Amino acid sequence: MASVLEDPTLERCFKGHKDAVTCADFSPSHKQLATGSNDKNLMIWNLNPKARAFRFVGHKDIITAVHFSPSGDLVASASRDKTVRLWAPNIKGESTVFKAHTATVRSVSFSSDGQRLVTGSDDKSVKVWSVHRQKFIYSLNQHTNWVRCVRFSPDGRLVASCGDDRTVRLWDTSTHQCINTFSDYGGPATFVDFNASGTCIASSGADNTLKIWDIRTNKLIQHYQVHSAAINGFSFHPSGNYLISGSSDSTVKILDLLEGRLIYTLHGHKGPVLAVAFSRDGHLFASGGADSQVLMWKTNFDLLNYREVLSSHSKRVTPDPPPHLTDIYPRSPHRHHTQNGTVEVSAQTTDNFSIGVSGRAGGVPGYRDRPGTSRASASTYTHAYEEQEEDEEEESPGLGVTYLLDERSGLPPAFRSTLEHIVQQLDILTQTVAVLEERLTLTEDKLKECLDNQAVILQTLHTDELHEERGIIVSDLK
């Protein structure tokens, strides 16, 4: 499975901010990238290499969050100056200021219809705004400490928020009530977001963990501890199959959510990674860090079509023979912890990055070398290109990207075949669980409908009995 993945590649390095990059978001048209910084400036990078970037000045303090509207004609930014601004992402750079918070605004996000904004602040409140009327609508108040992040659900009916009170809260936007609280955190909850279907939320914490909850059952379904420092932000791939996270350990991690494992570790920043974001189509992702750099990567690994793979597995008619006991290698480490089966990207100098693919044997996650075996470099590919900086006319030094593909030697064919079959069977099991989950949901809906119908019938029978008793009493009186 993992052997068919293609590695992410560094596409561009944007230089223009003069301080740490705190937030990033791609436009829906995939033509622009917005970033905010401690330098108080909002940058709109045009992804066309020949187009220049826009620098928007207006905030009086650090910019903490940015988000494009669904139509792409507005960009919202939040700041430590206690305000939210709406910008037109063009050369004019006009903006409207929203004021209602009494402390730093940490997070801002549009609803999927673009009609509302939600913000979270150090004043411990979550506020919802009307974009069209440009005014504050209502406030959600149950957090007992700073609110770090807020997001609308895809259908706009829920809001998720998290903060320094170590809780993640779900709010009903129609009743303005908190309907659920998740509090299993060893430190402040730093980031929260919904997956594309709105059935799950992920949240990260200062305790280095990332957790995914099914909000239909209120159960924790995945728990990752792949970073060695606080996670500052993450982003779901639009397919829901992958997630990227940025951490104060200076790395970007890429998780395969279907297989429940870490697949890539990217070392491109010198210092904490403060922001990560997938583009709306998932083909690109960006990372921003304390080193003032914005790196844009081409995803590549999302080209794998899991439906086709699972379909081909389901066509297998004859089951595989059981492996011989001597062919089974000791089990790998826990799938949700750091493994050898990852890809690491390390920075050699300021403008040089190398991507090493290691720990793969026939695409088996968690594979480890047997004693006495050796690893040989299979191939080396180097690609260099030059990037013109937006603020300078001189060209920056070339960015070198090196791919080192390692192979393991001395593997018995029977062992390799056995491991491949195990992975294929796990894929089939994953698909089966998904089908069972869907059927369970349908069964729950049917059961609820039956109970509702039964309640109506009982109410009708009770009413008929009352009418009948009244009729008997009336006749007796006569």
Side-chain angles (χ1 to χ4, degrees):
M1 275 286 298
S3 58
V4 300
L5 295 179
E6 290 191 34
D7 305 327
T9 54
L10 183 66
E11 289 287 294
R12 296 180 67 181
C13 176
F14 298 103
K15 294 181 180 180
H17 283 297
K18 296 176 175 59
D19 207 335
V21 178
T22 58
C23 48
D25 190 39
F26 283 91
S27 68
S29 65
H30 319 124
K31 294 180 179 179
Q32 293 179 317
L33 171 65
T35 57
S37 168
N38 285 358
D39 63 11
K40 309 176 188 177
N41 294 330
L42 172 69
M43 297 290 294
I44 304 292
W45 310 94
N46 289 296
L47 303 190
N48 181 350
K50 297 181 180 180
R52 294 187 63 83
F54 302 134
R55 183 192 304 274
F56 296 152
V57 179
H59 281 295
K60 298 177 181 179
D61 210 329
I62 292 170
I63 296 178
T64 56
V66 293
H67 195 227
F68 270 98
S69 66
S71 62
D73 58 354
L74 292 173
V75 177
S77 61
S79 171
R80 204 162 68 177
D81 65 9
K82 307 177 187 179
T83 69
V84 174
R85 284 179 179 261
L86 284 184
W87 308 80
N90 53 41
I91 196 169
K92 294 182 180 179
E94 299 171 343
S95 68
T96 303
V97 182
F98 289 7
K99 294 181 179 180
H101 286 291
T102 59
T104 297
V105 186
R106 297 276 176 184
S107 181
V108 63
S109 180
F110 279 95
S111 60
S112 58
D113 60 6
Q115 298 300 310
R116 292 171 294 166
L117 275 176
V118 62
T119 56
S121 168
D122 287 0
D123 62 12
K124 307 175 188 178
S125 72
V126 175
K127 295 187 184 297
V128 177
W129 313 70
S130 168
V131 175
H132 176 68
R133 291 186 290 167
Q134 299 183 358
K135 63 181 294 185
F136 162 71
I137 307 175
Y138 60 86
S139 186
L140 307 172
N141 300 291
Q142 280 193 28
H143 280 286
T144 58
N145 209 327
W146 295 355
V147 179
R148 292 278 182 177
C149 186
V150 289
R151 289 291 185 272
F152 275 109
S153 63
D155 60 10
R157 294 188 297 176
L158 299 174
V159 166
S161 62
C162 69
D164 283 12
D165 58 2
R166 303 186 179 188
T167 66
V168 174
R169 296 180 180 271
L170 280 181
W171 309 82
D172 187 324
T173 57
S174 60
T175 63
H176 308 168
Q177 297 297 314
C178 179
I179 59 175
N180 209 342
T181 302
F182 304 97
S183 56
D184 187 20
Y185 293 91
T190 57
F191 204 86
V192 67
D193 201 3
F194 289 87
N195 67 346
S197 64
T199 58
C200 297
I201 60 169
S203 57
S204 60
D207 59 356
N208 315 346
T209 64
L210 190 145
K211 300 176 181 180
I212 300 179
W213 306 80
D214 189 325
I215 61 176
R216 298 166 296 183
T217 60
N218 299 327
K219 290 184 178 179
L220 178 67
I221 56 176
Q222 288 187 337
H223 180 197
Y224 297 93
Q225 281 187 300
V226 294
H227 285 287
S228 59
I231 299 173
N232 298 312
F234 60 82
S235 179
F236 277 104
H237 188 273
S239 68
N241 297 339
Y242 304 98
L243 181 145
I244 56 175
S245 58
S247 167
S248 294
D249 63 10
S250 305
T251 67
V252 175
K253 304 277 188 181
I254 303 175
L255 303 172
D256 185 325
L257 302 182
L258 291 184
E259 296 188 8
R261 68 187 183 98
L262 172 68
I263 55 174
Y264 294 103
T265 296
L266 310 184
H267 300 268
H269 290 278
K270 290 185 176 181
V273 180
L274 304 177
V276 290
F278 270 114
S279 62
R280 306 297 169 94
D281 60 4
H283 296 334
L284 299 169
F285 64 94
S287 58
D291 56 3
S292 308
Q293 291 192 106
V294 179
L295 304 181
M296 187 176 73
W297 309 77
K298 190 173 181 181
T299 305
N300 294 332
F301 55 81
D302 65 339
L303 300 178
L304 176 63
N305 190 325
Y306 277 92
R307 290 185 181 275
E308 293 181 1
V309 174
L310 295 173
S311 176
S312 64
H313 290 171
S314 64
K315 293 178 182 178
R316 292 160 48 136
V317 179
T318 57
D320 299 316
H324 192 275
L325 192 59
T326 57
D327 292 334
I328 302 178
Y329 194 65
R331 68 179 63 183
S332 61
H334 193 280
R335 295 171 69 87
H336 289 186
H337 288 71
T338 305
Q339 307 175 14
N340 290 337
T342 64
V343 175
E344 296 199 357
V345 182
S346 58
Q348 303 295 329
T349 62
T350 303
D351 294 318
N352 288 286
F353 303 84
S354 65
I355 304 181
V357 185
S358 60
R360 290 188 182 173
V364 181
Y367 171 81
R368 296 177 291 178
D369 286 328
R370 290 192 182 186
T373 61
S374 61
R375 296 191 300 173
S377 177
S379 63
T380 301
Y381 165 65
T382 303
H383 169 60
Y385 63 90
E386 293 182 342
E387 169 63 34
Q388 181 178 0
E389 294 184 11
E390 301 292 349
D391 289 349
E392 302 177 7
E393 294 184 357
E394 62 181 14
E395 294 182 346
S396 64
L399 298 178
V401 183
T402 306
Y403 300 79
L404 304 176
L405 305 181
D406 291 351
E407 290 185 343
R408 306 248 194 283
S409 60
L411 287 179
F415 166 59
R416 182 175 300 166
S417 175
T418 299
L419 292 178
E420 290 176 352
H421 292 162
I422 290 173
V423 173
Q424 292 172 349
Q425 293 300 323
L426 286 175
D427 290 333
I428 296 174
L429 181 60
T430 301
Q431 180 73 359
T432 303
V433 170
V435 172
L436 290 175
E437 182 184 21
E438 184 177 354
R439 290 181 178 176
L440 179 60
T441 302
L442 293 174
T443 303
E444 290 175 347
D445 293 341
K446 288 290 184 182
L447 181 59
K448 183 178 179 181
E449 184 180 348
C450 290
L451 291 174
D452 292 340
N453 291 337
Q454 184 180 13
V456 172
I457 293 172
L458 290 175
Q459 182 67 28
T460 303
L461 291 174
H462 182 64
T463 303
D464 292 343
E465 289 175 357
L466 289 176
H467 289 165
E468 187 175 336
E469 290 176 359
R470 290 174 181 173
I472 293 174
I473 293 172
V474 171
S475 63
D476 290 343
L477 290 175
K478 291 179 179 181

Short mmCIF file of all heavy atoms in Angstrom, two decimals, residues 321-331 364 367-368 370 410-422:
data_model
loop_
_atom_site.label_atom_id
_atom_site.label_comp_id
_atom_site.label_asym_id
_atom_site.label_seq_id
_atom_site.Cartn_x
_atom_site.Cartn_y
_atom_site.Cartn_z
N PRO A 321 -3.45 -18.60 1.57
CA PRO A 321 -3.12 -19.65 2.53
C PRO A 321 -2.54 -19.01 3.79
O PRO A 321 -1.87 -17.99 3.72
CB PRO A 321 -2.07 -20.49 1.80
CG PRO A 321 -1.48 -19.56 0.79
CD PRO A 321 -2.59 -18.65 0.38
N PRO A 322 -2.81 -19.61 4.95
CA PRO A 322 -2.27 -19.02 6.18
C PRO A 322 -0.75 -19.07 6.17
O PRO A 322 -0.17 -20.05 5.71
CB PRO A 322 -2.86 -19.92 7.28
CG PRO A 322 -3.19 -21.20 6.59
CD PRO A 322 -3.58 -20.83 5.20
N PRO A 323 -0.09 -18.01 6.65
CA PRO A 323 1.37 -18.02 6.65
C PRO A 323 1.93 -19.03 7.64
O PRO A 323 1.29 -19.35 8.65
CB PRO A 323 1.72 -16.59 7.09
CG PRO A 323 0.55 -16.14 7.88
CD PRO A 323 -0.65 -16.80 7.24
N HIS A 324 3.11 -19.55 7.32
CA HIS A 324 3.77 -20.46 8.23
C HIS A 324 4.25 -19.67 9.43
O HIS A 324 4.60 -18.50 9.34
CB HIS A 324 4.96 -21.15 7.53
CG HIS A 324 5.51 -22.30 8.31
ND1 HIS A 324 6.45 -22.12 9.30
CD2 HIS A 324 5.22 -23.62 8.27
CE1 HIS A 324 6.75 -23.31 9.83
NE2 HIS A 324 6.03 -24.23 9.22
N LEU A 325 4.26 -20.29 10.59
CA LEU A 325 4.60 -19.60 11.82
C LEU A 325 5.98 -18.96 11.76
O LEU A 325 6.21 -17.87 12.29
CB LEU A 325 4.53 -20.58 13.00
CG LEU A 325 4.57 -19.95 14.40
CD1 LEU A 325 3.41 -19.00 14.58
CD2 LEU A 325 4.54 -21.03 15.47
N THR A 326 6.92 -19.61 11.07
CA THR A 326 8.29 -19.08 11.02
C THR A 326 8.39 -17.88 10.10
O THR A 326 9.40 -17.18 10.10
CB THR A 326 9.26 -20.17 10.52
OG1 THR A 326 8.81 -20.63 9.23
CG2 THR A 326 9.32 -21.33 11.49
N ASP A 327 7.34 -17.62 9.27
CA ASP A 327 7.37 -16.48 8.36
C ASP A 327 6.86 -15.20 9.02
O ASP A 327 6.95 -14.12 8.45
CB ASP A 327 6.50 -16.75 7.12
CG ASP A 327 7.10 -17.84 6.26
OD1 ASP A 327 8.33 -17.99 6.32
OD2 ASP A 327 6.35 -18.52 5.55
N ILE A 328 6.29 -15.30 10.21
CA ILE A 328 5.69 -14.15 10.86
C ILE A 328 6.75 -13.44 11.69
O ILE A 328 7.33 -14.02 12.60
CB ILE A 328 4.51 -14.57 11.74
CG1 ILE A 328 3.45 -15.29 10.90
CG2 ILE A 328 3.90 -13.36 12.44
CD1 ILE A 328 2.28 -15.78 11.68
N TYR A 329 6.98 -12.16 11.36
CA TYR A 329 7.98 -11.37 12.08
C TYR A 329 7.31 -10.75 13.31
O TYR A 329 6.11 -10.50 13.31
CB TYR A 329 8.51 -10.26 11.15
CG TYR A 329 9.76 -9.59 11.64
CD1 TYR A 329 10.94 -10.31 11.74
CD2 TYR A 329 9.75 -8.26 12.01
CE1 TYR A 329 12.09 -9.71 12.18
CE2 TYR A 329 10.90 -7.65 12.46
CZ TYR A 329 12.07 -8.38 12.55
OH TYR A 329 13.21 -7.77 12.99
N PRO A 330 8.07 -10.49 14.39
CA PRO A 330 7.45 -9.87 15.59
C PRO A 330 6.70 -8.60 15.25
O PRO A 330 7.11 -7.85 14.38
CB PRO A 330 8.67 -9.58 16.48
CG PRO A 330 9.66 -10.61 16.07
CD PRO A 330 9.47 -10.81 14.59
N ARG A 331 5.61 -8.36 15.96
CA ARG A 331 4.72 -7.24 15.64
C ARG A 331 5.45 -5.91 15.76
O ARG A 331 6.38 -5.75 16.52
CB ARG A 331 3.49 -7.25 16.54
CG ARG A 331 3.77 -6.96 18.00
CD ARG A 331 2.49 -6.97 18.79
NE ARG A 331 1.88 -8.30 18.75
CZ ARG A 331 0.70 -8.55 19.32
NH1 ARG A 331 0.04 -7.59 19.92
NH2 ARG A 331 0.20 -9.75 19.26
N VAL A 364 4.91 -1.90 3.98
CA VAL A 364 4.40 -2.37 5.25
C VAL A 364 4.67 -1.36 6.34
O VAL A 364 5.82 -1.01 6.57
CB VAL A 364 5.04 -3.73 5.62
CG1 VAL A 364 4.49 -4.21 6.94
CG2 VAL A 364 4.77 -4.74 4.52
N TYR A 367 7.63 -1.47 9.66
CA TYR A 367 8.65 -2.48 9.43
C TYR A 367 9.96 -2.04 10.05
O TYR A 367 10.35 -0.90 9.98
CB TYR A 367 8.85 -2.70 7.93
CG TYR A 367 10.05 -3.58 7.63
CD1 TYR A 367 9.94 -4.95 7.71
CD2 TYR A 367 11.27 -3.00 7.31
CE1 TYR A 367 11.04 -5.74 7.44
CE2 TYR A 367 12.37 -3.79 7.05
CZ TYR A 367 12.25 -5.17 7.12
OH TYR A 367 13.33 -5.96 6.87
N ARG A 368 10.68 -2.98 10.67
CA ARG A 368 11.99 -2.70 11.24
C ARG A 368 13.02 -3.66 10.69
O ARG A 368 12.71 -4.81 10.38
CB ARG A 368 11.93 -2.84 12.78
CG ARG A 368 11.01 -1.82 13.45
CD ARG A 368 10.93 -2.05 14.93
NE ARG A 368 10.21 -3.30 15.19
CZ ARG A 368 10.02 -3.77 16.41
NH1 ARG A 368 10.48 -3.13 17.46
NH2 ARG A 368 9.35 -4.88 16.60
N ARG A 370 15.74 -6.41 10.36
CA ARG A 370 16.18 -7.56 11.13
C ARG A 370 17.67 -7.42 11.43
O ARG A 370 18.40 -6.81 10.67
CB ARG A 370 15.97 -8.85 10.32
CG ARG A 370 14.50 -9.23 10.14
CD ARG A 370 14.41 -10.61 9.60
NE ARG A 370 13.04 -11.01 9.36
CZ ARG A 370 12.70 -12.23 8.98
NH1 ARG A 370 13.62 -13.14 8.79
NH2 ARG A 370 11.45 -12.54 8.79
N GLY A 410 17.95 -8.70 1.50
CA GLY A 410 17.94 -9.95 2.24
C GLY A 410 16.59 -10.35 2.78
O GLY A 410 16.52 -11.11 3.75
N LEU A 411 15.47 -9.88 2.21
CA LEU A 411 14.14 -10.26 2.67
C LEU A 411 13.68 -11.53 1.96
O LEU A 411 13.68 -11.59 0.73
CB LEU A 411 13.13 -9.14 2.41
CG LEU A 411 13.23 -7.90 3.29
CD1 LEU A 411 12.18 -6.89 2.87
CD2 LEU A 411 13.06 -8.27 4.74
N PRO A 412 13.26 -12.55 2.71
CA PRO A 412 12.73 -13.76 2.07
C PRO A 412 11.45 -13.43 1.31
O PRO A 412 10.62 -12.67 1.80
CB PRO A 412 12.44 -14.69 3.26
CG PRO A 412 13.21 -14.13 4.40
CD PRO A 412 13.29 -12.65 4.17
N PRO A 413 11.27 -13.97 0.12
CA PRO A 413 10.04 -13.71 -0.66
C PRO A 413 8.78 -14.06 0.11
O PRO A 413 7.77 -13.36 0.02
CB PRO A 413 10.22 -14.58 -1.91
CG PRO A 413 11.71 -14.79 -2.01
CD PRO A 413 12.23 -14.82 -0.62
N ALA A 414 8.82 -15.18 0.85
CA ALA A 414 7.63 -15.60 1.59
C ALA A 414 7.26 -14.56 2.65
O ALA A 414 6.08 -14.26 2.87
CB ALA A 414 7.87 -16.96 2.25
N PHE A 415 8.29 -14.00 3.29
CA PHE A 415 8.05 -12.97 4.32
C PHE A 415 7.42 -11.73 3.71
O PHE A 415 6.43 -11.19 4.21
CB PHE A 415 9.39 -12.64 4.98
CG PHE A 415 9.38 -11.39 5.81
CD1 PHE A 415 8.51 -11.26 6.89
CD2 PHE A 415 10.23 -10.34 5.51
CE1 PHE A 415 8.51 -10.13 7.65
CE2 PHE A 415 10.23 -9.20 6.27
CZ PHE A 415 9.36 -9.09 7.34
N ARG A 416 7.97 -11.27 2.59
CA ARG A 416 7.46 -10.08 1.92
C ARG A 416 6.03 -10.31 1.45
O ARG A 416 5.15 -9.46 1.62
CB ARG A 416 8.36 -9.71 0.75
CG ARG A 416 7.92 -8.45 0.01
CD ARG A 416 8.92 -8.09 -1.06
NE ARG A 416 10.23 -7.84 -0.49
CZ ARG A 416 11.35 -7.76 -1.22
NH1 ARG A 416 11.29 -7.92 -2.52
NH2 ARG A 416 12.50 -7.54 -0.62
N SER A 417 5.77 -11.47 0.86
CA SER A 417 4.43 -11.79 0.37
C SER A 417 3.43 -11.82 1.52
O SER A 417 2.30 -11.31 1.42
CB SER A 417 4.44 -13.12 -0.37
OG SER A 417 3.14 -13.50 -0.76
N THR A 418 3.84 -12.41 2.65
CA THR A 418 2.95 -12.50 3.81
C THR A 418 2.57 -11.12 4.32
O THR A 418 1.40 -10.84 4.60
CB THR A 418 3.64 -13.30 4.93
OG1 THR A 418 3.90 -14.63 4.46
CG2 THR A 418 2.73 -13.37 6.17
N LEU A 419 3.54 -10.24 4.42
CA LEU A 419 3.27 -8.90 4.92
C LEU A 419 2.35 -8.13 3.97
O LEU A 419 1.45 -7.39 4.42
CB LEU A 419 4.58 -8.13 5.11
CG LEU A 419 5.48 -8.63 6.24
CD1 LEU A 419 6.76 -7.82 6.29
CD2 LEU A 419 4.77 -8.55 7.57
N GLU A 420 2.57 -8.27 2.67
CA GLU A 420 1.70 -7.61 1.71
C GLU A 420 0.26 -8.10 1.84
O GLU A 420 -0.70 -7.32 1.77
CB GLU A 420 2.22 -7.83 0.28
CG GLU A 420 3.52 -7.08 -0.01
CD GLU A 420 4.07 -7.40 -1.38
OE1 GLU A 420 3.52 -8.31 -2.04
OE2 GLU A 420 5.05 -6.74 -1.80
N HIS A 421 0.09 -9.43 2.03
CA HIS A 421 -1.25 -9.97 2.18
C HIS A 421 -1.92 -9.46 3.45
O HIS A 421 -3.12 -9.19 3.48
CB HIS A 421 -1.19 -11.51 2.20
CG HIS A 421 -0.80 -12.09 0.87
ND1 HIS A 421 -0.33 -13.38 0.73
CD2 HIS A 421 -0.79 -11.55 -0.37
CE1 HIS A 421 -0.05 -13.61 -0.56
NE2 HIS A 421 -0.32 -12.50 -1.24
N ILE A 422 -1.14 -9.32 4.53
CA ILE A 422 -1.69 -8.80 5.78
C ILE A 422 -2.22 -7.39 5.59
O ILE A 422 -3.31 -7.03 6.05
CB ILE A 422 -0.62 -8.85 6.89
CG1 ILE A 422 -0.32 -10.30 7.28
CG2 ILE A 422 -1.08 -8.06 8.12
CD1 ILE A 422 0.83 -10.45 8.25
#
